[in-house]
């Protein structure tokens, strides 16, 4: 099998002064770097036409299958600036493998780990000036794949488009704790469904619940299991941890929640921080009671996009409760600090998570 080469085309980048001004403004997901990476797949050629060109709009026929049947998958990973001036991707191999799992589940062609790494590395190299040089800030990479065949048949497409775009992520210095809403009406994922992969429909299907959350003064939805509507699973794009009697508790990978790379990283780092960590089911009642009795002192959400986000309170019809005193707790802070230390090369990379670019 041949591997793809994403040799960059020469383009005129954004003037440095303008770029640096944009990088100073906080934000996520609204600012893009100069380039994008693309490749195409069809049955005859396999993956081909690898390019690193200027960020530009796609021209797609209205009958492009992705518009109609939702065969789309994505990933989210980050590159970090390090004090030695070099850049590193955080656990790109794990994201590559999850992208391949998502592709398999959606009957799409897999991109090899080597090609995935070549693609994300090419973008970070060519747009290295877009990687913010501030602790906690990063260059967010969004690899994705869509069904690109022009046809109205309801079947897996026979042509696909893969692309990677990059977006500097510049969080606020002290993110406010979020308030979660447990919806009485909607579920995210069922056994045998697509909850364990990052496919577009999982998110589109969740926005009505997100709107319901907003109507109740909440920031995000906390999803409960679809069968019993009791077990806490995860948040829209993040996994959850509870600090209970000094230990960290996170729901097990039940087959309906997304196996987060950040979740896995925290499971590995926690013992290094002297924290016992367990994967154990937590019901919504356990959570509420634990917060009321003081046994659960903190809750945080974790995912690539926002790293570690404190949860200050939760609500569901007829009930609401505060987590701890509603502010960011000490364990949440330590976990975030430990993660950032590794990501920015300020702590030893014991687990070999960093991939130098
Ligand atoms: C991406 C995502 C996560 C977090 O995964 P990371 O690999 O940590 O970014 C959690 N839940 C859902 C539903 C997600 O889409």
């Amino acid at each position: 099998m041949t591997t793809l080469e994403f040799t960059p085309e020469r383009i005129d980048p954004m003037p440095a002064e303008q770029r640096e001004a944009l990088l100073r403004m906080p934000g996520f997901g609204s600012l893009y770097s100069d380039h994008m990476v693309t490749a195409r797949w069809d049955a005859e050629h396999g993956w081909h036409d690898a390019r690193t060109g200027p960020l530009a709009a796609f021209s797609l026929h209205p009958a492009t299958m992705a518009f109609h049947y939702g065969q789309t998958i994505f990933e989210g990973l980050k590159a970090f600036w390090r004090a030695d001036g070099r850049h590193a991707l955080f656990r790109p191999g794990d994201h590559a493998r999850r992208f391949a799992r998502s592709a398999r589940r959606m009957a799409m062609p897999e991109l090899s780990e080597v090609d995935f790494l070549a693609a994300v590395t090419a973008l970070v190299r060519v747009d290295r000036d877009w990687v913010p040089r501030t602790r906690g800030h990063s260059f967010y990479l969004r690899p994705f794949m869509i069904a690109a065949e022009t046809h109205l048949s309801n079947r897996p497409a026979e042509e696909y488009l893969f692309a990677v775009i990059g977006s500097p992520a510049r969080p606020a210095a002290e993110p406010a704790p979020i308030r979660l809403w447990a919806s009485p009406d909607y579920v995210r994922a069922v056994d045998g469904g697509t909850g364990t992969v990052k496919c577009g429909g999982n998110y589109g299907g969740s926005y009505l619940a997100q709107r319901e959350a907003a109507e109740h003064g909440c920031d995000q939805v906390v999803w409960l299991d679809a069968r019993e509507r009791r077990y806490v699973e995860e948040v829209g794009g993040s996994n959850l941890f509870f600090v209970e009697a000094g230990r960290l508790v996170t729901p097990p990978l039940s087959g309906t929640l997304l196996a987060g790379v950040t979740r896995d990283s925290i499971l590995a780092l926690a013992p290094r921080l002297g924290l016992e960590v367990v994967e154990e089911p937590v019901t919504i009642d356990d959570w509420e009671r634990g917060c009321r009795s003081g046994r659960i002192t903190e809750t945080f959400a974790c995912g690539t996009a926002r790293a570690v986000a404190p949860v200050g309170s939760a609500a569901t019809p007829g009930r609401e409760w505060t987590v701890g005193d509603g502010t960011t707790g000490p364990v949440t802070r330590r976990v975030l600090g430990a993660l950032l230390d590794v990501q920015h090369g300020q702590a030893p990379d014991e687990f070999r998570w960093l991939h130098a670019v």
Side-chain angles (χ1 to χ4, degrees), residues 74-77 95 98 188 195 197-198 202-203 223 234-239 257-264 302-305:
F74 69 96
E75 263 305 318
L77 71 163
H95 289 278
R98 189 169 66 192
R188 190 189 88 96
V197 303
K198 288 181 103 79
N202 286 352
Y203 306 86
W223 295 105
E234 59 176 323
V235 184
S238 318
N239 296 113
L257 58 98
L258 204 281
V261 174
T262 318
R263 174 187 180 278
D264 186 69
C302 67
T304 297

Side-chain angles (χ1 to χ4, degrees), residues 39 88 227 231 233 241 304 319:
R227 199 181 296 185
Y231 294 100
E233 296 208 315
F241 278 87
T304 297
R319 303 188 293 172

Side-chain angles (χ1 to χ4, degrees), residues 253-274:
L253 300 177
S254 58
T256 49
L257 58 98
L258 204 281
V261 174
T262 318
R263 174 187 180 278
D264 186 69
S265 305
I266 293 170
L267 286 173
L269 285 174
R272 301 290 189 276
L273 301 175

